[in-house]
Amino acid sequence: MIAIGCDHGGFNLKEAIKKYLDEKKVPYKDFGTADCNSVDYPYYAYRVANEISNGNCTKGVLCCGTGIGIAIAANKIKGIRAAVCDDEFTTEMARKHNDANILCLGGRVIDEKKAVLLMDIFLNTSFDGGRHNKRIEQISQIENGIFKIN
Ligand code: RB5
């Protein structure tokens, strides 16, 4: 199950991604917002990120004007690795190296066609594991206040 959310700056991207998910028959939960009226992005980041953190959803996508604010907010939630991506390479790396569980996109940065392409890459690229496992574990230790400096 995919969790999706946006503010007004990302609304058009979210709708395009929903259409893509419908076509691909990928189940999702839409946490809003429901139109282009101005709202505060942390609310949507919080709802989507918690849905992943608590295991109800496996991955998510969050869209705002730049993807930045909504990513900063989502990354405050335990277990969240939200990545702002605006091209194919960064999206692929976010999955392969960082095991990103939320894709963050900017409606004032990329168009709807690019958003759908990046969502497709995000959903269909696996984490490489290997040497990257240790680094993901270190991020988790930082999050849990148990990271040790050598
Ligand atoms: C809203 O105007 C804008 O600040 C927001 O969508 C986002 O870009 C924040 O990072």
Side-chain angles (χ1 to χ4, degrees), residues 60-63 82-85 91 101-105 115 118-119 122:
V61 59
L62 284 167
C63 308
V84 185
C85 300
T91 306
N101 48 17
I102 300 184
L103 174 66
C104 297
L105 304 172
L118 300 188
M119 186 65 185
F122 182 71

Side-chain angles (χ1 to χ4, degrees), residues 7-9 41 64-66 68-70 108:
D7 74 356
H8 50 291
Y41 59 80
C64 67
T66 58
I68 297 171
I70 214 157
R108 297 169 190 158

Side-chain angles (χ1 to χ4, degrees), residues 73-95:
N75 277 318
K76 300 296 178 192
I77 301 295
K78 214 177 183 65
I80 294 304
R81 292 178 299 279
V84 185
C85 300
D86 54 24
D87 63 15
E88 292 92 321
F89 178 71
T90 50
T91 306
E92 200 182 325
M93 288 301 112
R95 287 291 310 131

Side-chain angles (χ1 to χ4, degrees), residues 19-128:
K19 190 163 170 270
Y20 157 84
L21 294 173
D22 285 336
E23 280 165 13
K24 295 282 178 189
K25 300 194 178 355
V26 177
Y28 62 85
K29 283 192 214 171
D30 183 358
F31 290 91
T33 188
D35 55 40
C36 290
N37 292 320
S38 183
V39 291
D40 298 325
Y41 59 80
Y43 175 86
Y44 303 93
Y46 183 80
R47 296 209 57 198
V48 165
N50 268 311
E51 200 68 1
I52 294 159
S53 185
N54 69 21
N56 286 344
C57 290
T58 50
K59 284 189 185 135
V61 59
L62 284 167
C63 308
C64 67
T66 58
I68 297 171
I70 214 157
I72 292 171
N75 277 318
K76 300 296 178 192
I77 301 295
K78 214 177 183 65
I80 294 304
R81 292 178 299 279
V84 185
C85 300
D86 54 24
D87 63 15
E88 292 92 321
F89 178 71
T90 50
T91 306
E92 200 182 325
M93 288 301 112
R95 287 291 310 131
K96 284 187 168 177
H97 286 193
N98 313 116
D99 199 17
N101 48 17
I102 300 184
L103 174 66
C104 297
L105 304 172
R108 297 169 190 158
V109 181
I110 60 169
D111 63 18
E112 289 151 37
K113 192 170 165 219
K114 178 64 76 69
V116 167
L117 172 64
L118 300 188
M119 186 65 185
D120 189 62
I121 293 170
F122 182 71
L123 292 182
N124 293 298
T125 305
S126 300
F127 177 46
D128 276 352

